[in-house]
Amino acid sequence: MSEKSCDALDELRHAIDEVDGQLIELLAKRLSLVAEVGEVKSEAGVPIYAPEREAAMLAKRRSEADEAGVGGDLIEDVLRRLMRESYHREKDTGFKCIKPDLGDVVIVGGRGKLGGVFKRMLELSGYNVKVLDKDDWSSAPELFANAGLVIVSVPINLTTEIIDQLSGLPSDCVLVDLTSTKGKPLEHMLNVHAGPVLGLHPMFGPDVASLAKQVIIYCDGRSPEKYAWLLEQIGIWGAKLTLADPQEHDNAMTLVQGMRHFTTFVYGQHLAAENPNMEQLLDYSSPIYRLELAMVGRLFAQDSQLYADIIFSSNENTKMFSRYLSRFEHANTMLVNGDREGFIQAFKEVSQWFGDYSQQFLDESKQLLMQAHDSRAV
Ligand code: NAD
């Protein structure tokens, strides 16, 4: 490079450094304004995640950015990342307490992972939270004496037998469980407790930094008017609440969780048996393959008991896996027989079944892959 070009490049790089400095100052200013909004929201009890406001704001910024020649996608990416940061920070300011006269919250299994998340969120909202874990049953009468809310968050395989021990709760106390299955726990809660009963299934793990945008499925048990405050409280944390019938929930979970975890487990088992060189696999993987590998590998960094419980939790899972296996065998037969036409025909049929969703999923995954491409991990 000539000396002249070197100088020009230095000058431009210096100008970029200055703009980056201004960007950092602007980001700091934006984050501090959002923190102020967080404090106002916390006092007023406004949910930290407001989907309509977020969508309207993004649409407006996209069109402004398009006009300025910056590109809507770029500004949306930047703002989404900033908003995620803000959601994580907003929880540090705490949340409005919707039911200050509740009495105690007792979390059975509160020293565990998910119980710990609810303990933190409830304490951030000003409730008095007590824990009853496996060695604390001798103190149960005192712990429950002033309980306005009891949350059961114990291993799935122990859930119903532990619920059956909760016969002495105060009559107005709200009894809630967080189990990944809903039918059986609700049945047992309704049997053991004559007061309000609610089933929750948080569709996230304990590693979430904020509940903003996380889905929590809820199943009404008894006296919904007595736990409406709790749903409102969860809404303030930013979670999206979805009402479900317990049986429909359990059937859907066979596909959403059981099937996915089971096939991931088998794929992981297959990888372990084939024993490839992981470093080499990663070197050969562009973001999409790396993400796919990560989705398999992350399962095995988690609790084997929990996944065993989810997979073994229902007979429907066993039946579903058998049907999957026969389809796998059928596809394998096409392959073994060299039936390329059969494969293409089957592919088209599935594509037709997905309909507009396949395009939607292509667009959504493109966004995710772009983020994965930018991330430090890939
Ligand atoms: P965990 O193993 O981390 O916690 C369970 C807790 O229950 C532990 O502290 C354990 O000591 C306690 N416990 C065990 N026996 C007990 C007893 N007899 N009396 C009182 N406490 C007892 O499990 P987790 O992952 O937090 O799961 C708890 C519940 O949350 C399960 O029902 C699970 O289906 C549900 N859930 C978990 C996740 C997740 O990703 N972890 C997601 C959604 C729902």
Side-chain angles (χ1 to χ4, degrees), residues 180-377:
S180 305
T181 56
K182 289 279 55 83
K184 281 265 164 350
L186 260 170
E187 199 183 299
H188 282 252
M189 288 195 296
L190 287 165
N191 274 340
V192 81
H193 180 55
V197 167
L198 167 68
L200 295 178
H201 181 191
M203 296 299 293
F204 51 82
D207 52 352
V208 293
S210 149
L211 261 53
K213 303 189 183 183
Q214 298 294 344
V215 171
I216 299 187
I217 299 176
Y218 72 99
C219 299
D220 284 325
R222 183 187 298 121
S223 311
E225 71 288 352
K226 301 238 170 85
Y227 54 74
W229 66 269
L230 179 56
L231 298 179
E232 190 184 340
Q233 187 71 64
I234 291 172
I236 288 177
W237 298 340
K240 183 177 162 238
L241 284 153
T242 304
L243 177 64
D245 167 81
Q247 206 46 56
E248 279 177 19
H249 163 278
D250 290 354
N251 292 344
M253 283 309 134
T254 296
L255 277 169
V256 175
Q257 293 200 313
M259 184 76 210
R260 229 202 89 220
H261 297 325
F262 190 59
T263 52
T264 305
F265 161 73
V266 177
Y267 189 52
Q269 212 186 22
H270 176 67
L271 277 177
E274 296 287 320
N275 194 23
N277 179 334
M278 187 58 86
E279 280 306 316
Q280 192 186 43
L281 286 192
L282 290 174
D283 277 347
Y284 294 170
S285 298
S286 54
I288 186 163
Y289 299 112
R290 191 160 180 137
L291 259 187
E292 279 173 2
L293 215 46
M295 295 313 285
V296 179
R298 80 188 298 277
L299 183 87
F300 297 93
Q302 297 175 70
D303 186 357
S304 54
Q305 306 274 346
L306 176 68
Y307 286 98
D309 282 348
I310 291 175
I311 287 168
F312 285 76
S313 67
S314 111
N315 285 339
E316 288 312 310
N317 283 355
T318 326
K319 291 185 208 152
M320 182 72 79
F321 301 152
S322 300
R323 295 200 292 279
Y324 182 70
L325 191 59
S326 70
R327 285 177 190 120
F328 213 105
E329 275 165 359
H330 177 69
N332 191 43
T333 308
M334 282 196 284
L335 183 66
V336 171
N337 294 342
D339 184 6
R340 197 169 173 278
E341 280 314 306
F343 173 86
I344 289 171
Q345 182 54 33
F347 192 102
K348 285 181 181 159
E349 281 166 20
V350 179
S351 176
Q352 221 165 29
W353 179 81
F354 269 99
D356 293 343
Y357 281 113
S358 50
Q359 189 56 46
Q360 182 185 322
F361 292 154
L362 187 65
D363 295 341
E364 276 179 23
S365 57
K366 218 184 268 175
Q367 289 293 329
L368 291 172
L369 285 170
M370 279 195 295
Q371 284 165 16
H373 191 261
D374 295 339
S375 105
R376 263 165 301 181

Side-chain angles (χ1 to χ4, degrees), residues 27 30-31 34-35 78-92 209-210:
L27 292 181
R30 192 184 195 282
L31 286 171
V34 175
V78 172
L79 286 173
R80 281 195 186 281
R81 178 64 191 84
L82 275 170
M83 285 187 293
R84 175 148 57 90
E85 191 64 29
S86 304
Y87 291 137
H88 294 180
R89 292 177 185 213
E90 262 184 71
K91 73 172 193 323
D92 299 335
S210 149

Side-chain angles (χ1 to χ4, degrees), residues 111-114 133-134 137 154 156 162 178-180 202 204-205:
R111 272 193 269 284
K113 291 184 281 297
L114 204 68
D133 215 273
K134 59 173 179 284
W137 282 96
V154 295
I156 304 182
I162 289 175
L178 304 180
T179 325
S180 305
F204 51 82

